[in-house]
Structures are given as structure tokens and as C-alpha cells.
Amino acid sequence: QVQLVESGGGLVRAGGSLRLSCAASVSIFSIDAMGWFRQAPGKQRALVAAITSGGSINYADFVKGRFTISRDFAKNTVYLQMNSLKPADTAVYYCSADNKSLRYWGQGTQVTVSS
């Protein structure tokens, strides 16, 4: 069982930045992959960024060059640095952890970007 707790969401103006954090209840060394997804009203949940245990990183095209995923093993935390935010980035952002063929989700954190 992996528990994930996100934080860092909020309201920001277009062009601004936010950093999301996802704290895991277990050592992230033991997690196969961690990621960030987002879901806007009326839309499906979509992958934003992911990082594997080996350090491979994947970004959705719509965030490349603006968002950065990183991790801190000492804190068992994964981050999503979001720069140059756009109103289209408004969504609930969810942290995920893939471990032993199971996917775990955090509770989500709201990000709202005003124009």
C-alpha cells in the first residue's frame, strides 16, 4: 500500500509559477514509477509527467519546456515545477505511484490559472 499526499496547488496568474509536492508513505526507491496527471472539468485525466525508478522522464507535449518533474529520495517526495502557467493548465493535479502492477493515487490538488 502506498499513500500519496499532494500539496502546493493554488491560484496563480497566467505566466506565473507553482511547485507541487507529492509525499509518499514509503521509500520512493521502491516505487517503479511516479507521475503527475491532471483532470480539467469535463475532460479525462491526462498524464502530465512521469519519472521511473531508473530516472527516465516523460512529459506530455503540452507541458514540455514549461514543467519539470523531480524527486528527493531523502524526503520520499516528487515535485512538479510549473512555470509559464496558462489558463489551459487549470485542473486538479493528481500524483500517482506505480508499484508491482498497481497504481496508487493521491487526493488531488487544485491549480487555477487566471488570465
Side-chain angles (χ1 to χ4, degrees):
Q1 187 80 2
V2 179
Q3 294 180 324
L4 304 170
V5 178
E6 300 107 331
S7 60
L11 174 64
V12 65
R13 290 192 173 187
S17 299
L18 284 173
R19 188 177 79 157
L20 306 183
S21 300
C22 172
S25 61
V26 300
S27 171
I28 61 174
F29 273 116
S30 66
I31 297 176
D32 299 326
M34 295 191 70
W36 289 95
F37 288 73
R38 72 186 190 187
Q39 188 167 19
K43 295 188 176 181
Q44 290 189 330
R45 194 171 295 190
L47 175 70
V48 175
I51 184 167
T52 68
S53 57
S56 296
I57 291 175
N58 182 41
Y59 293 104
D61 286 344
F62 52 78
V63 302
K64 281 182 180 177
R66 300 189 298 125
F67 291 10
T68 303
I69 189 170
S70 62
R71 57 191 174 181
D72 185 331
F73 288 111
K75 296 182 179 180
N76 292 322
T77 298
V78 173
Y79 302 98
L80 185 69
Q81 178 67 43
M82 306 186 294
N83 298 328
S84 302
L85 283 161
K86 306 174 182 179
D89 295 317
T90 295
V92 178
Y93 284 71
Y94 296 91
C95 178
S96 70
D98 293 348
N99 201 42
K100 299 178 175 57
S101 301
L102 295 176
R103 174 165 287 173
Y104 301 89
W105 295 100
Q107 81 284 358
T109 185
Q110 177 71 46
V111 172
T112 302
V113 184
S114 65
S115 57

XYZ file of all heavy atoms in Angstrom:
864
model
N 0.849 -1.187 0.000
C 0.000 0.000 0.000
C 0.893 1.248 0.000
O 1.818 1.353 0.796
C -0.893 0.001 1.242
C -1.937 1.092 1.258
C -3.143 0.754 0.416
O -3.226 -0.340 -0.163
N -4.063 1.679 0.308
N 0.575 2.168 -0.890
C 1.315 3.423 -0.980
C 0.323 4.554 -0.802
O -0.682 4.629 -1.511
C 2.023 3.570 -2.335
C 2.776 4.905 -2.393
C 2.993 2.409 -2.581
N 0.593 5.427 0.136
C -0.242 6.620 0.312
C 0.514 7.828 -0.206
O 1.723 7.963 0.027
C -0.606 6.792 1.786
C -1.507 5.666 2.301
C -1.867 5.821 3.763
O -1.061 6.270 4.557
N -3.090 5.445 4.104
N -0.227 8.688 -0.897
C 0.369 9.864 -1.525
C -0.386 11.104 -1.071
O -1.624 11.106 -1.076
C 0.291 9.742 -3.052
C 0.916 8.489 -3.665
C 0.544 8.375 -5.136
C 2.416 8.503 -3.496
N 0.343 12.128 -0.721
C -0.279 13.376 -0.279
C 0.310 14.521 -1.089
O 1.516 14.791 -1.021
C -0.050 13.625 1.221
C -0.681 14.954 1.634
C -0.637 12.479 2.042
N -0.571 15.173 -1.870
C -0.135 16.302 -2.687
C -0.312 17.606 -1.923
O -1.184 17.725 -1.061
C -0.941 16.403 -3.985
C -0.853 15.195 -4.892
C -2.119 14.387 -4.876
O -2.808 14.402 -3.846
O -2.443 13.741 -5.893
N 0.486 18.573 -2.312
C 0.335 19.926 -1.790
C 0.929 20.894 -2.802
O 1.631 20.485 -3.726
C 1.042 20.074 -0.433
O 2.426 19.805 -0.565
N 0.613 22.173 -2.610
C 1.225 23.189 -3.450
C 0.324 23.821 -4.490
O 0.744 24.745 -5.189
N -0.896 23.327 -4.619
C -1.798 23.936 -5.585
C -2.257 25.302 -5.119
O -1.963 25.743 -4.008
N -2.973 25.980 -6.004
C -3.497 27.291 -5.648
C -3.900 28.080 -6.862
O -4.038 27.539 -7.966
N -4.086 29.365 -6.634
C -4.499 30.296 -7.680
C -3.293 31.136 -8.083
O -2.606 31.707 -7.223
C -5.623 31.192 -7.166
C -6.082 32.327 -8.080
C -6.680 31.772 -9.362
C -7.085 33.216 -7.341
N -3.051 31.210 -9.376
C -1.920 31.988 -9.881
C -2.324 32.654 -11.186
O -3.207 32.157 -11.898
C -0.690 31.062 -10.078
C -0.951 30.020 -11.165
C 0.568 31.852 -10.367
N -1.707 33.766 -11.493
C -1.991 34.452 -12.747
C -1.216 33.807 -13.892
O -0.161 33.179 -13.690
C -1.621 35.925 -12.649
C -2.540 36.710 -11.747
C -2.335 38.196 -11.901
N -3.328 38.964 -11.144
C -3.450 40.274 -11.223
N -2.655 40.968 -12.012
N -4.375 40.885 -10.525
N -1.740 33.976 -15.073
C -1.062 33.466 -16.258
C 0.370 33.996 -16.303
O 0.616 35.165 -16.022
C -1.816 33.871 -17.511
N 1.294 33.099 -16.641
C 2.711 33.446 -16.657
C 3.425 33.157 -15.358
O 4.663 33.198 -15.302
N 2.658 32.858 -14.315
C 3.247 32.593 -13.013
C 3.718 31.160 -12.860
O 3.682 30.369 -13.812
N 4.152 30.838 -11.653
C 4.723 29.520 -11.355
C 4.125 28.951 -10.082
O 3.706 29.693 -9.185
C 6.241 29.622 -11.187
O 6.873 30.085 -12.355
N 4.107 27.635 -10.027
C 3.741 26.895 -8.821
C 4.616 25.657 -8.752
O 5.043 25.136 -9.792
C 2.276 26.460 -8.843
C 1.198 27.493 -8.558
C -0.181 26.862 -8.799
C 1.291 28.019 -7.138
N 4.844 25.171 -7.539
C 5.517 23.896 -7.375
C 4.626 22.962 -6.568
O 4.262 23.270 -5.427
C 6.871 24.042 -6.682
C 7.660 22.723 -6.696
C 9.040 22.836 -6.074
N 8.980 22.814 -4.625
C 10.003 22.469 -3.849
N 11.162 22.107 -4.407
N 9.890 22.500 -2.536
N 4.296 21.846 -7.165
C 3.510 20.822 -6.491
C 4.443 19.806 -5.850
O 5.503 19.484 -6.400
C 2.578 20.116 -7.469
C 1.639 20.996 -8.284
C 0.734 20.113 -9.159
C 0.815 21.900 -7.410
N 4.015 19.303 -4.701
C 4.775 18.268 -4.000
C 3.893 17.048 -3.788
O 2.690 17.183 -3.586
C 5.255 18.776 -2.642
O 6.094 19.901 -2.776
N 4.509 15.894 -3.817
C 3.799 14.638 -3.570
C 4.657 13.809 -2.615
O 5.722 13.307 -3.012
C 3.566 13.883 -4.867
S 2.898 12.217 -4.640
N 4.183 13.687 -1.396
C 4.912 12.929 -0.390
C 4.369 11.509 -0.324
O 3.156 11.310 -0.173
C 4.781 13.608 0.967
N 5.271 10.531 -0.427
C 4.875 9.126 -0.401
C 5.086 8.542 0.990
O 5.981 8.967 1.728
C 5.690 8.336 -1.421
N 4.264 7.543 1.319
C 4.333 6.917 2.642
C 5.404 5.827 2.720
O 5.655 5.295 3.800
C 2.977 6.303 3.004
O 2.633 5.303 2.063
N 6.001 5.524 1.557
C 7.060 4.521 1.518
C 8.270 5.116 0.808
O 8.172 6.173 0.173
C 6.605 3.242 0.785
C 5.410 2.634 1.485
C 6.315 3.516 -0.688
N 9.375 4.434 0.889
C 10.561 4.900 0.179
C 10.307 4.897 -1.316
O 9.875 3.885 -1.879
C 11.744 3.997 0.492
O 12.838 4.320 -0.344
N 10.576 6.026 -1.970
C 10.330 6.083 -3.409
C 11.372 5.298 -4.193
O 11.214 5.079 -5.388
C 10.205 7.529 -3.925
C 11.485 8.323 -3.679
C 8.996 8.205 -3.303
C 11.450 9.726 -4.298
N 12.419 4.845 -3.510
C 13.361 3.917 -4.146
C 12.627 2.652 -4.591
O 13.001 2.029 -5.575
C 14.465 3.510 -3.159
C 15.635 4.434 -3.122
C 15.929 5.147 -1.979
C 16.453 4.572 -4.221
C 17.014 6.008 -1.940
C 17.556 5.422 -4.189
C 17.832 6.138 -3.034
N 11.598 2.274 -3.815
C 10.910 1.013 -4.064
C 9.766 1.138 -5.064
O 9.121 0.137 -5.379
C 10.370 0.459 -2.743
O 9.372 1.305 -2.232
N 9.509 2.329 -5.540
C 8.379 2.567 -6.446
C 8.865 2.539 -7.894
O 9.848 3.194 -8.234
C 7.688 3.897 -6.111
C 7.102 3.828 -4.697
C 6.610 4.214 -7.132
C 6.488 5.118 -4.216
N 8.164 1.791 -8.720
C 8.594 1.616 -10.111
C 8.567 2.923 -10.899
O 9.471 3.208 -11.684
C 7.714 0.582 -10.810
C 7.801 -0.787 -10.153
O 8.889 -1.132 -9.650
O 6.785 -1.512 -10.133
N 7.513 3.696 -10.714
C 7.388 4.961 -11.435
C 6.430 5.862 -10.681
O 5.471 5.393 -10.058
C 6.865 4.732 -12.851
N 6.697 7.145 -10.768
C 5.787 8.126 -10.186
C 5.464 9.172 -11.227
O 6.276 9.452 -12.112
C 6.398 8.766 -8.945
C 6.609 7.774 -7.812
S 7.034 8.539 -6.255
C 5.475 9.320 -5.818
N 4.274 9.721 -11.099
C 3.876 10.675 -12.119
C 2.887 11.699 -11.613
O 2.411 11.631 -10.479
N 2.636 12.638 -12.489
C 1.605 13.656 -12.265
C 0.618 13.596 -13.424
O 1.011 13.542 -14.595
C 2.224 15.052 -12.192
C 3.013 15.306 -10.951
C 4.363 15.174 -10.779
C 2.494 15.742 -9.697
N 4.718 15.501 -9.503
C 3.585 15.859 -8.808
C 1.224 16.058 -9.223
C 3.434 16.265 -7.486
C 1.074 16.461 -7.917
C 2.179 16.563 -7.057
N -0.659 13.586 -13.052
C -1.747 13.644 -14.017
C -2.574 14.875 -13.692
O -2.490 15.436 -12.598
C -2.638 12.397 -13.901
C -2.007 11.130 -14.416
C -0.989 10.500 -13.714
C -2.453 10.539 -15.589
C -0.408 9.326 -14.183
C -1.895 9.366 -16.064
C -0.876 8.763 -15.355
N -3.413 15.263 -14.656
C -4.344 16.344 -14.356
C -5.682 16.058 -15.000
O -5.766 15.355 -16.017
C -3.788 17.682 -14.825
C -3.762 17.912 -16.320
C -3.054 19.224 -16.640
N -3.193 19.608 -18.037
C -2.544 20.636 -18.584
N -1.710 21.386 -17.839
N -2.714 20.932 -19.857
N -6.717 16.627 -14.397
C -8.067 16.457 -14.911
C -8.807 17.772 -14.806
O -9.013 18.290 -13.705
C -8.803 15.358 -14.157
C -10.149 14.998 -14.758
C -10.703 13.715 -14.191
O -10.305 13.242 -13.123
N -11.628 13.108 -14.908
N -9.176 18.289 -15.961
C -9.978 19.507 -16.021
C -11.447 19.119 -16.075
O -11.786 17.996 -16.481
C -9.589 20.315 -17.251
N -12.351 20.026 -15.688
C -13.781 19.707 -15.717
C -14.233 19.238 -17.094
O -13.923 19.864 -18.112
C -14.431 21.034 -15.340
C -13.404 21.743 -14.532
C -12.092 21.362 -15.139
N -14.921 18.113 -17.124
C -15.443 17.595 -18.378
C -14.429 16.886 -19.249
O -14.743 16.473 -20.365
N -13.213 16.742 -18.761
C -12.166 16.097 -19.553
C -11.623 14.878 -18.822
O -11.783 14.737 -17.615
C -11.034 17.076 -19.841
C -11.450 18.243 -20.726
C -10.256 19.063 -21.138
C -10.659 20.175 -22.093
N -9.483 20.982 -22.525
N -10.987 14.007 -19.585
C -10.374 12.824 -18.989
C -9.069 13.183 -18.297
O -8.417 14.179 -18.625
C -10.116 11.776 -20.076
C -11.369 11.145 -20.637
C -11.066 9.956 -21.542
O -10.037 9.912 -22.187
N -11.961 8.978 -21.547
N -8.715 12.359 -17.334
C -7.446 12.538 -16.658
C -6.317 12.251 -17.644
O -6.361 11.264 -18.388
C -7.349 11.582 -15.460
C -6.242 11.898 -14.500
C -6.350 11.056 -13.237
N -7.561 11.367 -12.484
C -7.803 10.912 -11.257
N -6.897 10.127 -10.659
N -8.921 11.227 -10.651
N -5.325 13.117 -17.670
C -4.242 13.014 -18.647
C -2.887 13.073 -17.964
O -2.707 13.809 -16.986
C -4.352 14.139 -19.673
N -1.951 12.315 -18.501
C -0.591 12.334 -17.979
C 0.062 13.686 -18.250
O -0.024 14.214 -19.359
C 0.237 11.226 -18.634
C 1.719 11.203 -18.262
C 1.897 10.781 -16.808
C 2.487 10.265 -19.193
N 0.728 14.203 -17.233
C 1.489 15.445 -17.376
C 2.984 15.129 -17.453
O 3.689 15.571 -18.347
C 1.210 16.388 -16.201
C 2.099 17.622 -16.281
C -0.267 16.776 -16.169
N 3.460 14.349 -16.480
C 4.884 13.998 -16.438
C 5.046 12.752 -15.596
O 4.250 12.501 -14.689
C 5.712 15.138 -15.858
N 6.087 11.981 -15.902
C 6.355 10.770 -15.141
C 7.858 10.541 -15.064
O 8.603 10.953 -15.952
C 5.668 9.565 -15.777
N 8.251 9.870 -13.982
C 9.661 9.528 -13.790
C 9.737 8.104 -13.282
O 9.009 7.719 -12.362
C 10.353 10.530 -12.829
C 11.834 10.222 -12.705
C 9.672 10.559 -11.461
C 12.621 11.355 -12.033
N 10.605 7.302 -13.892
C 10.743 5.909 -13.487
C 11.798 5.774 -12.393
O 12.562 6.711 -12.120
C 11.150 5.035 -14.669
O 12.495 5.368 -15.059
C 10.221 5.235 -15.856
N 11.852 4.595 -11.814
C 12.854 4.356 -10.776
C 14.271 4.534 -11.310
O 15.176 4.921 -10.577
C 12.686 2.957 -10.197
O 12.784 1.978 -11.232
N 14.443 4.284 -12.612
C 15.755 4.445 -13.230
C 16.073 5.865 -13.634
O 17.182 6.155 -14.103
N 15.102 6.753 -13.480
C 15.342 8.155 -13.780
C 14.867 8.610 -15.150
O 15.053 9.771 -15.516
N 14.258 7.734 -15.913
C 13.715 8.150 -17.206
C 12.511 9.045 -16.988
O 11.664 8.758 -16.143
C 13.308 6.925 -18.031
O 14.441 6.142 -18.331
N 12.440 10.106 -17.776
C 11.386 11.108 -17.610
C 10.611 11.254 -18.914
O 11.187 11.235 -20.004
C 11.983 12.455 -17.188
C 12.537 12.360 -15.762
C 10.944 13.565 -17.283
C 13.261 13.604 -15.301
N 9.310 11.412 -18.767
C 8.430 11.607 -19.910
C 7.502 12.780 -19.612
O 6.956 12.877 -18.508
C 7.606 10.333 -20.143
C 6.709 10.450 -21.347
O 7.105 10.974 -22.378
N 5.485 9.977 -21.222
N 7.342 13.661 -20.585
C 6.444 14.807 -20.443
C 5.389 14.776 -21.535
O 5.664 14.390 -22.674
C 7.200 16.128 -20.565
C 8.168 16.422 -19.440
C 9.538 16.272 -19.624
C 7.707 16.870 -18.204
C 10.427 16.555 -18.607
C 8.592 17.145 -17.171
C 9.948 16.987 -17.380
O 10.825 17.262 -16.366
N 4.210 15.240 -21.200
C 3.200 15.479 -22.222
C 3.648 16.647 -23.082
O 4.308 17.577 -22.602
C 1.861 15.796 -21.580
N 3.288 16.599 -24.347
C 3.717 17.661 -25.272
C 3.268 19.041 -24.795
O 3.973 20.036 -24.990
C 3.166 17.392 -26.672
C 3.897 16.260 -27.371
O 5.000 15.891 -26.926
O 3.348 15.742 -28.370
N 2.102 19.093 -24.142
C 1.557 20.400 -23.796
C 2.263 21.056 -22.601
O 1.954 22.197 -22.254
C 0.045 20.326 -23.541
C -0.402 19.279 -22.563
C -0.269 19.477 -21.196
C -0.950 18.088 -23.011
C -0.675 18.507 -20.291
C -1.377 17.112 -22.120
C -1.223 17.320 -20.752
N 3.224 20.358 -21.979
C 3.969 20.972 -20.876
C 5.471 21.000 -21.114
O 6.222 21.543 -20.303
C 3.687 20.283 -19.527
C 2.196 20.327 -19.209
C 4.233 18.863 -19.492
N 5.917 20.425 -22.200
C 7.359 20.386 -22.466
C 7.943 21.792 -22.505
O 7.398 22.686 -23.129
C 7.619 19.672 -23.793
C 7.545 18.163 -23.700
C 7.860 17.503 -25.031
C 7.778 15.986 -24.905
N 8.004 15.306 -26.205
N 9.042 21.948 -21.792
C 9.708 23.239 -21.733
C 9.165 24.163 -20.660
O 9.760 25.204 -20.389
N 8.042 23.779 -20.048
C 7.443 24.626 -19.006
C 7.428 23.937 -17.641
O 7.578 24.601 -16.617
C 6.016 25.007 -19.391
C 5.909 25.783 -20.678
C 4.486 26.314 -20.878
N 3.499 25.242 -20.986
C 2.414 25.155 -20.214
N 2.173 26.070 -19.290
N 1.559 24.159 -20.377
N 7.213 22.637 -17.620
C 7.106 21.884 -16.365
C 8.327 20.986 -16.199
O 8.877 20.473 -17.186
C 5.859 21.002 -16.368
C 4.549 21.741 -16.314
C 4.454 23.111 -16.465
C 3.368 21.026 -16.100
C 3.238 23.768 -16.412
C 2.143 21.668 -16.039
C 2.079 23.041 -16.214
N 8.695 20.761 -14.950
C 9.820 19.880 -14.642
C 9.447 18.962 -13.483
O 9.014 19.449 -12.431
C 11.074 20.682 -14.267
O 11.413 21.577 -15.333
C 12.255 19.748 -14.016
N 9.620 17.674 -13.688
C 9.401 16.704 -12.610
C 10.753 16.369 -11.980
O 11.770 16.240 -12.681
C 8.688 15.432 -13.129
C 8.267 14.533 -11.973
C 9.546 14.683 -14.144
C 7.351 13.376 -12.399
N 10.751 16.250 -10.659
C 11.980 15.899 -9.959
C 11.627 15.135 -8.689
O 10.451 15.011 -8.344
C 12.787 17.155 -9.621
O 12.067 18.007 -8.753
N 12.636 14.631 -8.001
C 12.361 13.853 -6.798
C 13.468 14.053 -5.771
O 14.607 14.381 -6.128
C 12.210 12.367 -7.135
C 13.434 11.788 -7.829
C 13.162 10.414 -8.372
N 14.291 9.917 -9.160
C 14.318 8.749 -9.764
N 13.275 7.934 -9.687
N 15.387 8.378 -10.456
N 13.098 13.850 -4.535
C 14.021 13.930 -3.411
C 13.894 12.616 -2.645
O 12.901 12.411 -1.933
C 13.678 15.137 -2.539
C 14.675 15.361 -1.419
O 15.282 14.375 -0.941
O 14.835 16.518 -0.993
N 14.880 11.751 -2.778
C 14.805 10.438 -2.131
C 14.807 10.561 -0.612
O 14.160 9.778 0.083
C 15.964 9.553 -2.586
C 15.834 9.064 -3.997
C 16.675 9.518 -4.985
C 14.846 8.145 -4.342
C 16.561 9.063 -6.295
C 14.724 7.683 -5.641
C 15.587 8.149 -6.622
N 15.530 11.539 -0.100
C 15.605 11.694 1.357
C 14.248 12.049 1.957
O 13.947 11.685 3.095
C 16.633 12.762 1.709
N 13.428 12.753 1.167
C 12.108 13.177 1.652
C 10.987 12.310 1.102
O 9.816 12.565 1.400
C 11.864 14.640 1.280
C 12.823 15.604 1.950
C 12.505 17.045 1.579
C 13.455 18.008 2.284
N 13.168 19.417 1.929
N 11.328 11.313 0.277
C 10.296 10.474 -0.367
C 9.242 11.332 -1.057
O 8.041 11.069 -0.939
C 9.665 9.526 0.653
C 10.642 8.483 1.135
O 11.448 7.987 0.368
N 10.575 8.168 2.423
N 9.702 12.330 -1.773
C 8.810 13.322 -2.361
C 9.161 13.530 -3.839
O 10.335 13.574 -4.206
C 8.908 14.648 -1.606
O 8.483 14.437 -0.246
C 8.025 15.718 -2.230
N 8.117 13.652 -4.629
C 8.248 14.005 -6.037
C 7.641 15.390 -6.228
O 6.615 15.710 -5.618
C 7.553 12.969 -6.935
C 7.543 13.418 -8.391
C 8.235 11.619 -6.809
N 8.274 16.174 -7.077
C 7.836 17.544 -7.302
C 7.440 17.755 -8.763
O 7.909 17.063 -9.658
C 8.963 18.524 -6.962
C 9.469 18.412 -5.552
C 10.617 17.681 -5.258
C 8.798 19.041 -4.505
C 11.089 17.580 -3.965
C 9.255 18.944 -3.206
C 10.402 18.207 -2.941
O 10.851 18.103 -1.651
N 6.596 18.742 -8.970
C 6.293 19.215 -10.310
C 6.427 20.729 -10.290
O 5.587 21.414 -9.706
C 4.892 18.792 -10.762
C 4.562 19.156 -12.203
C 5.402 18.313 -13.175
C 3.066 18.947 -12.486
N 7.501 21.220 -10.883
C 7.693 22.659 -11.016
C 6.983 23.119 -12.282
O 7.277 22.609 -13.375
C 9.184 22.991 -11.096
C 9.476 24.461 -11.295
C 9.077 25.313 -10.101
O 9.316 24.945 -8.954
N 8.458 26.462 -10.367
N 6.073 24.034 -12.121
C 5.267 24.502 -13.245
C 5.536 25.982 -13.483
O 5.258 26.818 -12.607
C 3.777 24.278 -12.961
C 3.441 22.843 -12.594
S 1.669 22.542 -12.424
C 1.293 23.554 -11.008
N 6.104 26.298 -14.627
C 6.407 27.672 -14.992
C 5.581 28.093 -16.207
O 5.018 27.248 -16.904
C 7.899 27.798 -15.313
C 8.787 27.467 -14.143
O 8.442 27.701 -12.988
N 9.963 26.919 -14.429
N 5.533 29.374 -16.445
C 4.792 29.919 -17.601
C 3.386 29.337 -17.678
O 2.936 28.891 -18.734
C 5.566 29.629 -18.898
O 6.855 30.186 -18.853
N 2.708 29.350 -16.563
C 1.377 28.741 -16.499
C 0.378 29.482 -17.375
O 0.449 30.716 -17.534
C 0.888 28.691 -15.060
C 1.533 27.565 -14.237
C 1.369 27.846 -12.750
C 0.916 26.229 -14.592
N -0.545 28.697 -17.931
C -1.577 29.221 -18.816
C -2.950 28.890 -18.220
O -3.076 27.906 -17.477
C -1.473 28.562 -20.184
C -0.110 28.658 -20.835
C -0.077 27.837 -22.122
C 1.287 27.867 -22.775
N 1.325 27.045 -24.013
N -3.979 29.638 -18.583
C -5.326 29.269 -18.117
C -5.696 27.830 -18.481
O -6.411 27.173 -17.723
C -6.214 30.288 -18.837
C -5.338 31.496 -18.983
C -3.971 30.942 -19.265
N -5.184 27.336 -19.599
C -5.473 25.959 -20.012
C -4.858 24.921 -19.071
O -5.212 23.741 -19.137
C -4.967 25.723 -21.432
N -3.956 25.345 -18.196
C -3.365 24.426 -17.213
C -4.260 24.238 -15.989
O -3.946 23.429 -15.108
C -1.994 24.934 -16.764
C -0.971 24.944 -17.888
O -0.926 23.965 -18.661
O -0.214 25.935 -17.987
N -5.350 24.976 -15.923
C -6.274 24.852 -14.800
C -6.854 23.445 -14.745
O -7.417 22.951 -15.726
C -7.402 25.880 -14.926
O -6.839 27.201 -14.823
C -8.448 25.680 -13.846
N -6.693 22.795 -13.601
C -7.143 21.418 -13.441
C -6.867 20.975 -12.013
O -6.178 21.666 -11.252
C -6.415 20.481 -14.410
N -7.402 19.807 -11.671
C -6.977 19.121 -10.447
C -5.780 18.257 -10.834
O -5.855 17.478 -11.785
C -8.095 18.268 -9.849
C -7.576 17.528 -8.607
C -9.297 19.131 -9.490
N -4.707 18.400 -10.114
C -3.488 17.652 -10.388
C -3.364 16.505 -9.386
O -3.484 16.719 -8.179
C -2.266 18.571 -10.308
C -2.141 19.447 -11.528
C -3.035 20.495 -11.755
C -1.147 19.220 -12.475
C -2.944 21.294 -12.896
C -1.032 20.014 -13.607
C -1.938 21.036 -13.804
O -1.832 21.826 -14.942
N -3.115 15.324 -9.915
C -3.015 14.119 -9.101
C -1.620 13.516 -9.215
O -1.068 13.411 -10.319
C -4.024 13.067 -9.568
C -5.463 13.458 -9.419
C -6.150 14.100 -10.442
C -6.164 13.175 -8.240
C -7.479 14.456 -10.315
C -7.495 13.530 -8.096
C -8.142 14.173 -9.137
O -9.458 14.520 -9.001
N -1.117 13.089 -8.094
C 0.122 12.335 -8.062
C -0.209 10.850 -8.173
O -1.241 10.395 -7.652
C 0.839 12.612 -6.737
S 2.376 11.724 -6.506
N 0.641 10.107 -8.851
C 0.438 8.667 -8.979
C 1.729 7.931 -8.674
O 2.828 8.471 -8.845
C -0.017 8.308 -10.395
O 1.046 8.497 -11.323
N 1.543 6.681 -8.235
C 2.691 5.798 -7.999
C 2.345 4.427 -8.550
O 1.303 3.858 -8.206
C 3.002 5.719 -6.508
N 3.202 3.924 -9.424
C 3.024 2.592 -9.997
C 3.986 1.647 -9.299
O 5.202 1.857 -9.350
C 3.327 2.599 -11.493
C 2.317 3.404 -12.281
O 1.271 3.752 -11.709
O 2.585 3.688 -13.460
N 3.418 0.622 -8.672
C 4.257 -0.300 -7.933
C 3.665 -1.696 -7.985
O 2.518 -1.892 -7.577
C 4.391 0.157 -6.475
C 5.604 -0.428 -5.810
O 6.683 -0.490 -6.393
N 5.457 -0.854 -4.580
N 4.452 -2.644 -8.505
C 4.018 -4.032 -8.570
C 2.652 -4.151 -9.233
O 1.741 -4.777 -8.703
C 3.995 -4.652 -7.172
C 5.365 -4.668 -6.513
C 5.298 -5.231 -5.116
C 6.672 -5.362 -4.475
N 7.410 -4.099 -4.417
N 2.531 -3.539 -10.403
C 1.332 -3.626 -11.249
C 0.116 -2.929 -10.659
O -0.993 -3.090 -11.182
C 0.984 -5.085 -11.547
O 2.046 -5.725 -12.200
N 0.275 -2.194 -9.605
C -0.823 -1.418 -9.040
C -0.515 0.065 -9.176
O 0.644 0.471 -9.119
C -1.027 -1.762 -7.564
C -1.476 -3.189 -7.255
C -1.542 -3.398 -5.746
C -2.835 -3.487 -7.875
N -1.550 0.863 -9.382
C -1.393 2.310 -9.435
C -2.115 2.922 -8.246
O -3.302 2.652 -8.013
C -1.930 2.883 -10.745
C -1.922 4.416 -10.793
C -2.102 4.933 -12.197
N -0.881 4.730 -12.980
C -0.804 4.964 -14.285
N -1.858 5.407 -14.946
N 0.333 4.766 -14.921
N -1.414 3.761 -7.553
C -1.968 4.480 -6.416
C -2.118 5.954 -6.764
O -1.332 6.495 -7.537
C -1.039 4.329 -5.192
C -0.822 2.894 -4.778
C 0.210 2.140 -5.327
C -1.648 2.284 -3.841
C 0.421 0.821 -4.960
C -1.452 0.957 -3.462
C -0.414 0.241 -4.032
O -0.216 -1.063 -3.664
N -3.130 6.569 -6.157
C -3.411 7.980 -6.437
C -3.426 8.790 -5.156
O -3.856 8.304 -4.105
C -4.775 8.124 -7.108
C -4.877 7.507 -8.466
C -5.430 6.301 -8.779
C -4.429 8.073 -9.707
N -5.350 6.085 -10.139
C -4.749 7.156 -10.721
C -3.800 9.270 -10.053
C -4.443 7.394 -12.071
C -3.495 9.501 -11.381
C -3.819 8.574 -12.375
N -3.013 10.047 -5.297
C -3.227 10.995 -4.223
C -4.624 11.570 -4.319
O -5.410 11.224 -5.214
N -4.928 12.487 -3.409
C -6.281 13.042 -3.350
C -6.488 14.169 -4.342
O -7.628 14.568 -4.595
C -6.572 13.536 -1.916
C -6.016 14.917 -1.579
C -4.515 14.939 -1.331
O -3.841 13.914 -1.369
N -3.986 16.136 -1.074
N -5.412 14.686 -4.893
C -5.506 15.755 -5.869
C -5.341 17.126 -5.233
O -5.678 17.335 -4.069
N -4.827 18.050 -6.033
C -4.690 19.434 -5.592
C -5.098 20.350 -6.746
O -4.708 20.130 -7.891
C -3.248 19.729 -5.109
O -3.175 21.049 -4.571
C -2.217 19.589 -6.218
N -5.902 21.335 -6.433
C -6.451 22.224 -7.460
C -5.420 23.278 -7.863
O -4.821 23.934 -7.008
C -7.712 22.926 -6.949
C -8.317 23.931 -7.905
C -8.956 23.266 -9.111
O -9.689 22.292 -9.001
N -8.671 23.810 -10.295
N -5.268 23.426 -9.158
C -4.453 24.503 -9.727
C -5.363 25.341 -10.611
O -6.007 24.811 -11.529
C -3.268 23.953 -10.547
C -2.568 25.079 -11.293
C -2.295 23.220 -9.637
N -5.437 26.621 -10.320
C -6.263 27.527 -11.109
C -5.387 28.660 -11.627
O -4.711 29.325 -10.835
C -7.419 28.097 -10.268
O -8.204 27.012 -9.754
C -8.302 29.006 -11.111
N -5.410 28.840 -12.942
C -4.607 29.892 -13.571
C -5.556 30.925 -14.157
O -6.358 30.606 -15.042
C -3.692 29.320 -14.659
C -2.795 30.419 -15.221
C -2.851 28.164 -14.115
N -5.470 32.134 -13.682
C -6.346 33.201 -14.168
C -5.671 33.963 -15.301
O -4.442 34.076 -15.359
C -6.686 34.149 -13.026
O -5.523 34.808 -12.566
N -6.506 34.483 -16.184
C -5.960 35.222 -17.343
C -5.768 36.692 -17.017
O -6.190 37.184 -15.997
C -6.892 35.066 -18.535
O -8.188 35.500 -18.204
